Every structure is written in C-alpha cells, then in structure tokens.
Amino acid sequence: RSQLKGNIAYMKPSTSNIKNSPLRLSTVEMKLNGLTLEQLTTFLHGVEDKKNAVWLRRITLSKGDQVEDLLNVVLQVETFQR
C-alpha cells in the first residue's frame, strides 16, 4: 500500500443518480502533491479494482512546485453504489 496521506491536498467526494437504475455513481476527485513516479505507479495499481468496480476516470499530471522530479496529480476515481 502506498503511504500518501501527507501528499493529499484535497479530496472532493460526490454522488449522482443513474437514470433508470438502482445504482448511484460515486466519484472522488483528489489532488496529490509532490509524488515520485514510483509512488504514483504504486498508488494507481492499488486504486483500480475490477472485482469491486473501481476505476480511474481522469488523471492530470504536472511538475511539482518545489522539486522538479516530483509530480502533482489530480485524479477522479469512480465506483457504483447501491
């Protein structure tokens, strides 16, 4: 498991209804600052889970603000809820 708690700038959860379905779409947008490529890779491998229907919807990468080799990441993760 990746240990990124200190890298989380924000997390924005939201839920929306799916038309003609008992399921709801649950989304979390999060920003992670100052990640190495290895930390990001480990995190992404742990996020997507076909068994539990969790997937990455969007990801945006940018250079870190203070250290050039580090990345800032904004991503959206989604899953279905009953």
Side-chain angles (χ1 to χ4, degrees):
R1 301 186 104 198
S2 59
Q3 302 295 320
L4 301 179
K5 189 173 185 177
N7 299 85
I8 298 172
Y10 66 78
M11 293 178 69
K12 296 179 183 176
S14 65
T15 305
S16 58
N17 294 322
I18 300 172
K19 190 174 182 176
N20 300 322
S21 173
L23 300 176
R24 296 166 41 154
L25 185 63
S26 181
T27 303
V28 175
E29 179 177 295
M30 55 189 309
K31 182 174 183 180
L32 302 163
N33 289 328
L35 299 184
T36 65
L37 187 56
E38 182 180 357
Q39 286 175 308
L40 177 59
T41 302
T42 301
F43 178 75
L44 292 176
H45 279 284
V47 166
E48 288 205 326
D49 184 346
K50 291 180 184 176
K51 179 181 175 187
N52 293 316
V54 177
W55 62 92
L56 184 66
R57 168 64 68 190
R58 180 177 64 91
I59 186 168
T60 304
L61 306 175
S62 60
K63 288 183 183 179
D65 298 330
Q66 298 177 353
V67 179
E68 190 173 309
D69 291 344
L70 299 181
L71 300 168
N72 294 334
V73 182
V74 177
L75 53 90
Q76 285 183 342
V77 179
E78 295 181 335
T79 190
F80 293 117
Q81 276 185 314
R82 287 199 180 272

